[in-house]
Amino acid sequence: MERKKIVFLAEVAILAALILLMSFTPLGYLRLPGLSVSLLMIPVAIGAVVVGPAAGAILGCLFGLTSFAQCFMGDVLGGILVAENVFFAFVVCVVSRTLAGLLCGMIFKAFKGSHKVGPVLVANLAASLLNTLLFLGFLALLYFNLSFTPEQVEALGGLGSALTVVIVTATSINAPIELALCGVVGTAVSKAVLKINSSRLA
């Protein structure tokens, strides 16, 4: 039991360090006009699959906190959201990612820990989809009547309201790229780590 706890903490700590590194370097985001493609759900998904739902929630929360911090560090959309309502911005950034990590782990756990590619792929794809749906869902729900100034519209690449951001992001290349990367990279790494862990226990 003590060994399992140590392994849990070690694996979460490694993934947490990776999230922090990616969050505050160019490694974590592909910047697009006004918006960005986040790669941070990949280590969250890996943790949720390999370590479990609790790890997914912890790592998702950390991802969310770094995303919330970006609102005060020049992120265009984040800065607008914080200026309008800082608590709502916290919910959009942090709660959505925490739930996405938790639910990803629960989805994989529903397969009873199967190490086959199918369940691992489904869980990683679910992580990306849940991140997008929860983030945009909270954004639409909490900021449904938020409109941007002409200067903000220009900075956001022509997006005139929070609902427009939701629609454009959901149908543009952002979400598909995040889904593909999480599915390919997340699945490959998760499968490899699960195999290593199984070998250690054998």
Side-chain angles (χ1 to χ4, degrees):
M1 195 68 182
E2 188 67 25
R3 183 176 180 277
K4 285 185 177 180
K5 186 178 180 180
I6 293 172
V7 171
F8 174 89
L9 292 174
E11 291 179 332
V12 170
I14 291 169
L15 290 167
L18 180 60
I19 288 173
L20 290 174
L21 174 65
M22 293 174 68
S23 296
F24 300 107
T25 67
L27 296 173
Y29 294 91
L30 299 178
R31 300 293 180 182
L32 300 174
L35 299 170
S36 59
V37 176
S38 172
L39 308 179
L40 289 162
M41 203 61 203
I42 295 174
V44 175
I46 293 169
V49 169
V50 174
V51 192
I58 292 169
L59 295 168
C61 181
L62 179 60
F63 168 24
L65 289 171
T66 63
S67 177
F68 185 61
Q70 298 283 350
C71 296
F72 302 91
M73 299 170 62
D75 182 79
V76 177
L77 178 60
I80 295 171
L81 299 183
V82 164
E84 180 70 17
N85 189 307
V86 67
F87 176 72
F88 285 175
F90 180 86
V91 172
V92 170
C93 292
V94 181
V95 176
S96 62
R97 274 61 184 264
T98 303
L99 288 174
L102 174 66
L103 292 172
C104 170
M106 293 177 68
I107 288 170
F108 183 69
K109 193 174 181 180
F111 289 103
K112 302 186 184 301
S114 173
H115 293 185
K116 294 181 180 178
V117 173
V120 177
L121 175 62
V122 169
N124 276 275
L125 291 176
S128 178
L129 285 172
L130 287 166
N131 176 51
T132 299
L133 293 175
L134 288 168
F135 179 86
L136 296 179
F138 280 125
L139 180 63
L141 178 65
L142 299 176
Y143 290 97
F144 68 93
N145 61 347
L146 174 62
S147 295
F148 305 137
T149 66
E151 293 78 14
Q152 291 170 338
V153 170
E154 183 178 356
L156 286 168
L159 306 179
S161 69
L163 284 178
T164 306
V165 173
V166 171
I167 295 169
V168 170
T169 305
T171 58
S172 71
I173 62 172
N174 296 52
I177 288 176
E178 291 179 9
L179 182 66
L181 289 172
C182 205
V184 174
V185 179
T187 299
V189 176
S190 297
K191 190 74 175 66
V193 176
L194 285 170
K195 186 175 182 179
I196 292 170
N197 287 350
S198 296
S199 300
R200 287 175 179 172
L201 295 174

